[in-house]
């Protein structure tokens, strides 16, 4: 493999611990009060795109602006105060940087959110590029565009890149782009194994898989 791509939420940081609880207890019941919506239906999807995804299958009780405000109102606290860096991630990213391996963060989170993580944990210089669903003209995960763009920005063929993802939508996007997919999730973000070529159950296993493939 010539490059590595990492999802942020549920892979680099344990933010899904907080988002999944918030979605299950507040966001989804507020948006769809009369039906139970599985959290997995929205995990890994850009929050601004979730409204349309839900609207295709459910009768929504809130408008678009109210829906996205539920996410935006919680993001600063989640990323600024609550999340923790996955054990071993800094060492792994530093090792890849020193070895000259191109590395991208590929995330459904917008710049306002991922920049908090990069600054708080001093990770900015460890990535060659960051690609967010907010940067795309079209849909984000599970469509492959976000990973195709990451590969292009890293200057590699997607078929020669490794992607580490936790959600069904994320693994699907990376698989559709032609990347080798590692399923891994920290905390509540149990890695989705659909479309995964390799599965890691712990941070140490994930790091070892990445090292062995690059």
């Amino acid at each position: 493999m010539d490059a590595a791509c990492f999802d942020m939420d549920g892979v680099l940081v344990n933010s899904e611990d907080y988002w999944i609880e918030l979605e299950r207890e507040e966001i989804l019941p507020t948006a769809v009060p009369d039906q139970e919506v599985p959290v997995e239906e929205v995990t890994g999807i850009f929050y601004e795109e979730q409204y349309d995804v839900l609207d295709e299958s459910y009768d929504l009780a809130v408008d678009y602006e109210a829906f996205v405000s539920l996410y935006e109102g919680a993001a600063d606290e989640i990323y600024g105060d609550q999340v923790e860096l996955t054990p071993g991630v800094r060492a792994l990213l530093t090792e890849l940087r020193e070895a000259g391996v191109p590395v991208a963060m590929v995330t459904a989170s917008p710049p306002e959110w991922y920049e908090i993580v990069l600054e708080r944990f001093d990770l900015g210089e460890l990535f060659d590029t960051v690609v967010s669903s907010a940067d795309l003209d079209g849909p984000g995960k599970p469509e492959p565009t976000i990973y195709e763009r990451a590969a292009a920005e890293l200057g590699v063929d997607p078929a020669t890149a490794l992607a580490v993802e936790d959600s069904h939508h994320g693994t699907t996007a990376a698989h559709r782009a032609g990347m080798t997919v590692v399923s891994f999730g920290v905390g509540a973000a149990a890695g989705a194994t659909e479309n995964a070529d390799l599965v890691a159950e712990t941070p140490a296993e994930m790091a070892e898989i990445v090292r062995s493939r690059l």
Side-chain angles (χ1 to χ4, degrees), residues 44 58 103 106-108 141 160 170 184 200:
Y58 302 96
V103 179
V106 183
T107 177
K141 304 171 186 179
T160 69
F184 166 72

Side-chain angles (χ1 to χ4, degrees), residues 8 19 47 71-72 75 79 109-117:
M8 183 179 78
W19 283 125
Y47 78 105
Y71 280 92
E72 292 170 348
Y79 293 112
S109 291
E112 297 87 349
W113 300 0
Y114 72 68
E115 286 173 358
I116 297 174
V117 171

Side-chain angles (χ1 to χ4, degrees), residues 114-127:
Y114 72 68
E115 286 173 358
I116 297 174
V117 171
L118 293 179
E119 181 176 353
R120 181 179 168 203
F121 297 108
D122 194 24
L123 299 177
E125 294 186 356
L126 298 179
F127 292 99

Side-chain angles (χ1 to χ4, degrees), residues 8-199:
M8 183 179 78
D9 295 288
V11 172
L12 298 177
V13 294
N14 67 334
S15 46
E16 293 295 10
D17 287 357
Y18 305 99
W19 283 125
I20 288 174
E21 180 180 2
L22 188 65
E23 287 163 346
R24 182 179 291 121
E25 301 297 328
E26 180 179 346
I27 294 176
L28 294 176
T30 298
V32 190
D34 298 326
Q35 293 176 267
E36 183 174 345
V37 181
V39 173
E40 294 77 14
E41 290 194 18
V42 297
T43 301
I45 299 177
F46 182 34
Y47 78 105
E48 291 185 3
E49 296 175 4
Q50 290 180 16
Y51 187 86
D52 288 339
V53 171
L54 292 171
D55 194 36
E56 292 178 359
S57 302
Y58 302 96
D59 293 325
L60 299 182
V62 297
D63 61 17
Y64 171 81
E65 287 75 15
F67 180 80
V68 299
S69 71
L70 294 171
Y71 280 92
E72 292 170 348
D76 283 350
E77 181 178 359
I78 287 176
Y79 293 112
D81 299 323
Q82 295 178 322
V83 302
E84 296 178 354
L85 195 64
T86 299
V89 157
R90 179 182 299 282
L92 176 61
L93 294 174
T94 300
E95 183 177 335
L96 296 176
R97 167 63 70 199
E98 292 175 348
V101 176
V103 179
M105 179 193 290
V106 183
T107 177
S109 291
E112 297 87 349
W113 300 0
Y114 72 68
E115 286 173 358
I116 297 174
V117 171
L118 293 179
E119 181 176 353
R120 181 179 168 203
F121 297 108
D122 194 24
L123 299 177
E125 294 186 356
L126 298 179
F127 292 99
D128 295 281
T129 189
V130 178
V131 182
S132 163
S133 294
D135 300 328
L136 306 178
D137 293 330
K141 304 171 186 179
E143 298 304 317
T145 310
I146 192 168
Y147 275 103
E148 293 169 345
R149 178 163 173 173
E153 293 191 7
L154 293 176
V156 301
D157 185 325
T160 69
L162 189 75
V164 183
E165 272 281 2
D166 67 303
S167 70
H168 167 72
H169 296 103
T171 57
T172 300
H175 173 74
R176 288 176 175 174
M179 294 188 178
T180 297
V181 182
V182 180
S183 168
F184 166 72
V186 63
T193 57
E194 303 96 329
N195 300 309
D197 300 289
L198 301 157
V199 177

